[in-house]
Amino acid sequence: MSRTSCLLLALLLLASIPGCGTRPRVERTMGEDPIEGGETYSQSVSFEADDAEAALRDAAALVRQREFGPAIIIHQRLYRDQAQPESIRARALLRWAEAEGHLLNPDRNVDAAIARVELMLEEFPDSELRFEAEDTLERLGSFRETDPR
């Protein structure tokens, strides 16, 4: 099992403990592979709207603890969940970019972070986070110019 899978599983287990964060909606599907004939299994995770706010708070706490990988996973899930309101998806995308480009993130990827902020501005042009996103974009641009990596 990959490290990312383990982290996601740990987050899901934590979320299932009463009083311990978000309540994800997990959908599991089993079927038969039409090509090879064996069993297939898939799983998707989404968050209820009320729980999305809690998930964003949990992710912010993870960033403060320098646990960027799990925070990014939460942001990815929230942004990709089309059932979420635009305000949640926009915030998740911006926070994902900030975690990805964070100076203390050992796997920092400033170019990807910039691309995500640009996507947020393009996909959610009327977002209340527009000015914050523009500031983040400017800050990340200065990181790219001075980053020795």
Side-chain angles (χ1 to χ4, degrees):
M1 188 181 288
S2 72
R3 180 172 184 227
T4 303
S5 297
C6 290
L7 291 172
L8 181 58
L9 182 59
L11 287 171
L12 290 173
L13 289 174
L14 262 178
S16 67
I17 300 170
C20 206
T22 63
R23 299 288 177 262
R25 182 176 58 244
V26 180
E27 295 178 19
R28 295 176 182 90
T29 308
M30 295 191 73
E32 186 174 322
D33 187 328
I35 298 172
E36 297 187 21
E39 281 191 13
T40 63
Y41 175 80
S42 67
Q43 179 172 304
S44 65
V45 179
S46 61
F47 297 91
E48 299 295 334
D50 291 342
D51 291 336
E53 292 289 342
L56 287 167
R57 285 191 301 273
D58 291 348
L62 288 166
V63 168
R64 285 191 300 275
Q65 296 166 10
R66 298 183 185 170
E67 294 290 339
F68 298 102
I72 288 171
I73 290 170
I74 292 172
H75 293 129
Q76 287 172 340
R77 297 287 180 177
L78 288 170
Y79 166 68
R80 292 177 177 158
D81 185 355
Q82 296 294 320
Q84 293 300 326
E86 282 191 2
S87 62
I88 295 290
R89 294 183 64 237
R91 192 167 354 142
L93 186 56
L94 181 58
R95 299 298 177 249
W96 177 4
E98 290 171 346
E100 194 163 47
H102 197 285
L103 283 173
L104 298 176
N105 184 349
D107 299 320
R108 181 174 73 232
N109 185 339
V110 175
D111 291 330
I114 288 171
R116 291 194 205 301
V117 176
E118 290 172 342
L119 176 63
M120 184 265 173
L121 290 167
E122 180 182 314
E123 193 170 338
F124 307 104
D126 299 325
S127 172
E128 62 188 28
L129 299 171
R130 179 169 187 78
F131 295 115
E132 183 180 342
E134 290 170 349
D135 288 344
T136 299
L137 190 59
E138 186 176 318
R139 185 172 36 86
L140 288 169
S142 68
F143 290 168
R144 180 169 46 188
E145 293 167 9
T146 60
D147 194 358
R149 291 191 222 190

